[in-house]
Amino acid sequence: MKCQRCKKLACVALPSHHAGFCKDCYPLFFTRQVETAIRREKMFTHDDRILVALSGGKDSLALMLELKLQGYDVTGLHIDLGIPNSSEGARSKVEKFCDAHDLKLDVFEMEKWGLPIPDVKQYIDRPVCSICGKMKRHHFNRIAREGGYDAVATGHNLDDEVARLFANTLRWDTAYLSDQGPTLPAAEGFVRKVKPLFRLSEFETANYSFLKGIDIHSAPCPYSTGASFTNHKELWGELEFRSPGQKFQFYNGFMQRGKAAFANLEKETGATLHPCDTCGSPTSVGTCSVCRIKASVAVKKAEWLSESEYEAARARA
Amino acid sequence: MITVNLEPDGKVIELRRTRSVLGALNKLKLRSTMAIVVREDELLTADRKLYNGDTIMVRKVTSAG
């Protein structure tokens, strides 16, 4: 296959674009897609301060590097989840990446905050992935708000967005369908959220990361085994193979023709938000779910520790 | 024989009678946009030929959390 631009030997083939690119031209394709996303969705400008959520994976690191190369004022934020044999590796990759590219980085440690994710898994009887995601979104927003940032950018790609839209559609979750999109405008207590990679698939970000020599954290989270979004991505991978371009059509069609109906419905039935009694983050009830989970884990952990001490004392006697 | 270093699984797989990247991906039950394939630091498209003794890295792209 030949490169569509320069006719050299292609190293990346993109069936959904009916195109192939060589190693020199592919980054230009990637850059154009990100530029288009930022411009069309009015994500941010060169005057804005942008906090970029960095997990250590290919998407977030590729996003950070690309935004820096495009001249944006970016600062990375990594959340150390405190998961043994996983979080140390992810954090190390992020720190080394930011050092190598002279990028600003903040690290927030869940353990120091009092709620490492292993405690959530042990003491809360709900899927840990959904709570972990909620915690991360909470802290991204809080830290961006407190730091005076104009936008929080995440590395969500087209596959992430399609899998999420598909899951929300399967449940007809009107609240989530009403605000899914590449740009979520700032609202009371919420900093603007943007997804500049939404036009690019995971395959496309993986190729970019490789060509840019980004050393990524690729090991899956030990807690994510069997997560439904992975199954949905596999289903969509097969659909995309049979009909290239279908992922973007599904997502773009929803944005253009479907989302407004759900947004209107949510305006009529949606909850009113107030600052959380404990942390000040927006919530529809008195205390936000993140603070409630934190308090619940603290109570259950204390009960478990006192029971363990009692059993140990009995064993000694 | 082709040696495949499969990531992020960390497995090493040996494939016989495989003459192209597409053939290797088919044997690994992967579609061409579900993994990147690298030989000696060079990204390969699915139509590229493989040769006896080649070692390739196949990195699945689906992030799992």
Side-chain angles (χ1 to χ4, degrees):
Chain A
M1 175 180 256
K2 301 286 182 202
C3 174
Q4 181 178 275
R5 287 186 80 244
C6 70
K7 309 304 175 199
K8 282 187 200 161
L9 183 65
C11 68
V12 183
L14 302 178
S16 59
H17 293 268
H18 305 290
F21 295 99
C22 70
K23 64 182 171 56
D24 297 319
C25 296
Y26 182 73
L28 292 172
F29 160 82
F30 191 92
T31 297
R32 298 266 157 77
Q33 291 294 324
V34 176
E35 284 173 345
T36 302
I38 293 169
R39 186 181 67 251
R40 286 196 189 160
E41 300 298 328
K42 299 180 176 58
M43 292 185 176
F44 42 74
T45 69
H46 283 89
D47 296 326
D48 287 336
R49 289 178 65 229
I50 304 150
L51 188 66
V52 183
L54 299 179
S55 66
K58 63 186 184 311
D59 305 303
S60 61
L61 299 186
L63 172 64
M64 185 74 170
L65 181 59
E66 182 57 34
L67 293 183
K68 187 211 172 190
L69 293 174
Q70 291 190 21
Y72 289 103
D73 180 358
V74 285
T75 299
L77 171 61
H78 176 70
I79 296 186
D80 186 330
L81 302 170
I83 300 173
N85 305 318
S86 174
S87 296
E88 311 94 309
R91 179 173 175 168
S92 167
K93 296 275 183 182
V94 170
E95 288 174 337
K96 282 179 185 164
F97 169 82
C98 289
D99 274 351
H101 295 280
D102 196 22
L103 292 157
K104 293 174 276 184
L105 173 68
D106 282 341
V107 176
F108 177 77
E109 296 179 20
M110 290 293 286
E111 187 153 18
K112 277 192 185 163
W113 186 65
L115 192 61
I117 294 302
D119 280 2
V120 174
K121 185 172 171 61
Q122 185 172 350
Y123 297 109
I124 301 289
D125 189 21
R126 279 168 53 192
V128 68
C129 290
S130 70
I131 297 179
C132 182
K134 189 187 285 285
M135 294 280 166
K136 286 191 278 190
R137 288 191 295 274
H138 170 87
H139 289 300
F140 290 144
N141 185 65
R142 180 185 61 75
I143 291 167
R145 200 181 61 222
E146 291 170 3
Y149 289 92
D150 298 292
V152 175
T154 58
H156 289 104
N157 55 49
L158 181 60
D159 294 75
D160 297 324
E161 286 296 276
V162 166
R164 185 178 166 217
L165 175 58
F166 185 58
N168 291 338
T169 306
L170 287 176
R171 292 196 310 274
W172 292 116
D173 190 324
T174 55
Y176 282 138
L177 287 166
S178 72
D179 69 2
Q180 173 157 7
T183 299
L184 195 59
E188 191 64 35
F190 289 107
V191 175
R192 188 189 329 146
K193 294 190 189 79
V194 294
K195 299 166 185 169
L197 301 184
F198 85 96
R199 297 174 61 86
L200 292 150
S201 68
E202 281 193 307
F203 179 68
E204 289 161 354
T205 58
N207 279 294
Y208 179 84
S209 293
F210 180 83
L211 289 172
K212 289 289 182 183
I214 299 174
D215 186 17
I216 61 169
H217 177 71
S218 59
C221 174
Y223 294 169
S224 71
T225 314
S228 59
F229 55 77
T230 313
N231 298 331
H232 294 161
K233 281 183 178 179
E234 284 176 11
L235 283 172
W236 272 96
E238 200 56 35
L239 280 173
E240 181 74 10
F241 170 75
R242 287 162 195 248
S243 182
Q246 197 158 53
K247 279 180 202 166
F248 191 76
Q249 280 174 17
F250 176 61
Y251 187 72
N252 203 39
F254 168 76
M255 293 305 299
Q256 291 184 350
R257 298 185 292 281
K259 182 179 170 177
F262 294 103
N264 289 336
L265 183 65
E266 199 58 20
K267 263 185 209 161
E268 292 169 16
T269 60
T272 312
L273 299 179
H274 312 280
C276 166
D277 298 339
T278 307
C279 72
S281 292
T283 176
S284 56
V285 290
T287 305
C288 74
S289 58
V290 169
C291 290
R292 290 203 308 273
I293 290 166
K294 190 180 180 191
S296 174
V297 168
V299 169
K300 287 180 182 171
K301 194 173 181 179
E303 284 171 2
W304 185 84
L305 287 172
S306 63
E307 276 175 25
S308 301
E309 281 169 12
Y310 175 71
E311 292 296 330
R314 269 188 59 182
R316 281 196 299 273
Chain B
M1 188 172 64
I2 309 295
T3 304
V4 178
N5 293 316
L6 192 63
E7 292 189 8
D9 310 48
K11 291 180 187 165
V12 178
I13 298 167
E14 292 181 340
L15 300 177
R16 294 174 195 281
R17 289 188 291 279
T18 304
R19 294 189 177 84
S20 69
V21 171
L22 184 62
L25 290 171
N26 284 340
K27 285 190 178 171
L28 296 168
K29 296 192 168 109
L30 291 167
R31 299 298 189 191
S32 64
T33 55
M34 289 179 180
I36 61 170
V37 181
V38 179
R39 177 177 56 196
E40 294 175 355
D41 273 343
E42 183 193 11
L43 277 173
L44 303 178
T45 51
D47 59 343
R48 293 289 295 278
K49 282 184 182 170
L50 296 178
Y51 301 98
N52 199 26
D54 274 355
T55 297
I56 57 172
M57 184 266 282
V58 175
R59 180 185 287 165
K60 295 184 208 169
V61 301
T62 303
S63 55

